[in-house]
Amino acid sequence: MLDKNGIAKRIAKEVKDGYYVNLGIGIPTLVANFVRDDISVEFQSENGVLGMGPFPFEGDEDADVINAGKQTITTLPGASFFDSALSFGMIRGKHVDLTILGAMEVADNGDIANWKIPGKMVKGMGGAMDLVASAENIIVAMMHTNKAGESKLLKRCTLPLTGVGCVKKIVTNLAVLEVTPEGFKLLERAPGVTVEDIVKATEGKLMVGEEVPEMSI
Amino acid sequence: MINKTVSNVHKALDGVADGMTFMLGGFGLCGIPENAIAELVRLGIKDITCISNNAGVDDFGLGLLLQQRQIRKMISSYVGENDEFERQMLSGELEVELTPQGTLAEKCRAAQAGFPAIYTPAGYGTEVAEGKETREFDGKMYVLEPAFKADFSFVKAWKGDEAGNLIFKGTARNFNPCMCGAAKITVAEVEELLPGGSLDPNEIHIPGIFVQRIFQGEKYEKRIEQRTVRKMKSM
């Protein structure tokens, strides 16, 4: 079974040379730590920066340079700043190659819910609805089950939706799955995890091939 | 040169009144019009509708207007950092319209650019699209979102000149350029106000035609919401 860093490490393998990548808050943010250093990748933050670098050293923080999580950041050579309309133009116009985000629920038809829990304080969707509705290549990073042990990979989402039919790939602590017209397709299993474990933890329709390789990370 | 300069924040906000709709630039506390907000608090006008990506924190940014219960309605994409906001929203004192961030930006830009509405894929099939017109283009579904209508835009830039030309800095740019010229009157506050002609025309982000009034802010706190640093490597 993978921990959060393990999930990030596995997703990092999906990041290819020349990609512009948008990382959501939580596990997705960790992906930046594991991207191979022999490829060129630029990270986009939807508040208006391409070419995000690491956090600044103490004393170098600039209130005018933050990421979408409102954290102080630095920029790398080749970086650029832009306004919010242009930023979402990048996303909506499919110029960003890969979007990695977290989710509370994903359905086997590609629907995603990650912004609102009825009865709890609603903070808002931020850029999540724009990202999921627009990006062609979306990977969801999440735990396979919630804290109560219930599956987060469902037949249909029960929470208010963020987007419909948009998720293409999911990497969890147990498995790598693809969303196909026939439901979830099991691609890889995490080290030490059996196909049976994954079947048990998946409520939505799951297709399992003859052989499911263990993921290499 | 057409001179857009006003001498101070009081003159810059001349004409604001109860019940008006304001656009306010900024993402979190980054690039917010601090001086205009302070003046709105001082004027004590009520029943305001604010179009702003966020709602500030309890004691800074739009949180200051919330404290005085001056805001009737917020149109935002994310409002998570503010306890007083939560209290007013749950008690029904405050109306909240949550809008996807890119849609929010584009509804500002549409107003600026003379489009009555835009089609966006964001929110299709979710509660955000309920009751709204939808349409298919090339096999994909889109939601019709009308341009915003506002009385004043309050934006903050890094440098400006007397002609109202603006240059923004870093990610403090965010919604500010999209809101220029998107309301009946755009008020720009800048950290540094320069004589007309002293900015390189090649480097101007927003031309002065989109700005009616410009002034130099008296001071900028530029509070950091999430100060995040890494440890210096030991040599």
Side-chain angles (χ1 to χ4, degrees):
Chain A
M1 201 188 303
L2 301 177
D3 61 5
K4 287 180 177 179
N5 276 309
I7 297 173
K9 232 183 240 181
R10 174 59 190 83
I11 293 176
K13 290 178 63 182
E14 306 284 321
V15 179
K16 305 284 191 301
D17 190 31
Y19 267 19
Y20 294 99
V21 182
N22 181 289
L23 300 177
I25 293 163
I27 301 173
T29 309
L30 301 172
V31 173
N33 301 333
F34 302 111
V35 173
R36 278 163 48 190
D37 52 16
D38 61 335
I39 61 172
S40 303
V41 173
E42 281 193 24
F43 291 105
Q44 195 245 21
S45 197
E46 62 269 23
N47 60 313
V49 54
L50 253 179
M52 247 193 306
F55 297 130
F57 288 120
E58 207 169 337
D60 290 344
E61 314 93 282
D62 183 345
D64 290 329
V65 183
I66 63 167
N67 64 17
K70 286 134 193 164
Q71 296 169 308
T72 43
I73 54 156
T74 59
T75 54
L76 296 173
S80 55
F81 296 114
F82 34 85
D83 68 63
S84 302
L86 197 62
S87 182
F88 281 93
M90 257 169 228
I91 292 163
R92 210 181 296 108
K94 304 190 195 308
H95 307 288
V96 173
D97 299 289
L98 176 61
T99 294
I100 303 167
L101 41 80
M104 300 193 265
E105 294 177 344
V106 176
D108 61 24
N109 61 357
D111 290 358
I112 178 171
N114 72 351
W115 76 285
K116 184 177 179 180
I117 301 173
K120 289 206 177 163
M121 169 65 186
V122 181
K123 294 187 168 187
M125 68 293 282
M129 285 192 182
D130 304 275
L131 281 160
V132 299
S134 310
E136 302 230 284
N137 195 0
I138 299 176
I139 300 178
V140 166
M142 65 176 192
M143 303 310 270
H144 212 99
T145 52
N146 64 21
K147 280 176 188 144
E150 297 156 344
S151 182
K152 293 170 74 171
L153 288 91
L154 307 173
K155 288 192 183 74
R156 291 293 170 267
C157 291
T158 61
L159 295 168
L161 294 179
T162 308
V164 293
C166 47
V167 176
K168 301 289 184 299
K169 205 172 217 178
I170 307 153
V171 178
T172 74
N173 51 328
L174 304 183
V176 179
L177 308 105
E178 193 186 329
V179 178
T180 71
E182 287 80 42
F184 298 121
K185 184 177 168 194
L186 182 57
L187 298 181
E188 299 170 23
R189 56 193 171 76
V193 174
T194 65
V195 168
E196 200 179 39
D197 294 333
I198 297 161
V199 170
K200 221 185 286 177
T202 308
E203 191 230 75
K205 191 174 174 198
L206 181 67
M207 293 185 301
V208 184
E210 292 271 303
E211 219 163 288
V212 180
E214 183 174 295
M215 51 175 102
S216 60
I217 49 171
Chain B
M1 186 194 74
I2 301 170
N3 195 323
K4 305 288 176 72
T5 313
V6 289
S7 53
N8 57 48
V9 69
H10 316 299
K11 290 187 178 140
L13 268 68
D14 183 43
V16 298
D18 290 354
M20 280 186 169
T21 298
F22 301 145
M23 290 180 172
L24 298 108
F27 180 91
L29 300 178
C30 182
I32 57 172
E34 293 184 24
N35 290 271
I37 292 170
E39 179 67 5
L40 287 169
V41 172
R42 199 190 67 81
L43 290 169
I45 57 162
K46 299 256 190 271
D47 296 323
I48 311 168
T49 295
C50 290
I51 300 165
S52 169
N53 189 56
N54 312 89
V57 294
D58 276 321
D59 61 344
F60 199 56
L62 289 182
L64 300 170
L65 288 168
L66 285 163
Q67 270 182 16
Q68 307 299 320
R69 296 190 174 76
Q70 292 176 262
I71 303 177
R72 184 183 64 79
K73 182 178 179 182
M74 281 294 314
I75 301 173
S76 305
S77 86
Y78 190 84
V79 292
E81 327 292 349
N82 194 317
D83 292 336
E84 176 61 15
F85 183 96
E86 182 173 350
R87 195 198 63 72
Q88 290 185 21
M89 182 168 141
L90 294 174
S91 71
E93 288 166 63
L94 180 69
E95 190 185 337
V96 180
E97 185 179 314
L98 290 169
T99 303
Q101 197 175 323
T103 303
L104 188 80
E106 211 58 36
K107 286 174 71 144
C108 294
R109 211 194 74 82
Q112 173 191 65
F115 294 110
I118 51 123
Y119 278 106
T120 177
Y124 175 76
T126 76
E127 63 184 54
V128 164
E130 277 169 21
K132 290 175 186 165
E133 188 182 324
T134 57
R135 186 167 164 183
E136 186 183 322
F137 293 92
D138 295 326
K140 190 174 165 91
M141 293 304 294
Y142 294 80
V143 185
L144 187 68
E145 294 276 4
F148 283 128
K149 290 190 170 76
D151 298 293
F152 279 83
S153 275
F154 299 112
V155 302
K156 191 257 167 181
W158 179 36
K159 292 177 184 176
D161 70 8
E162 292 166 329
N165 297 310
L166 302 176
I167 295 176
F168 302 89
K169 179 169 166 273
T171 54
R173 193 182 310 190
N174 57 64
F175 288 83
N176 284 298
C178 316
M179 291 176 172
C180 290
K184 287 174 197 155
I185 294 173
T186 296
V187 177
E189 57 178 87
V190 294
E191 289 177 51
E192 194 180 356
L193 182 59
L194 298 158
S198 51
L199 294 176
D200 180 346
N202 287 303
E203 291 177 355
I204 287 164
H205 294 142
I206 285 289
I209 191 169
F210 292 111
V211 174
Q212 278 68 50
R213 303 173 191 171
I214 187 166
F215 70 101
Q216 185 170 308
E218 204 175 313
K219 69 175 180 74
Y220 286 96
E221 183 179 330
K222 292 206 197 179
R223 197 184 290 188
I224 294 175
E225 218 165 323
Q226 305 283 344
R227 186 180 301 275
T228 313
V229 296
R230 65 188 148 137
K231 287 266 182 296
M232 194 74 79
K233 269 187 198 144
S234 53
M235 289 294 171

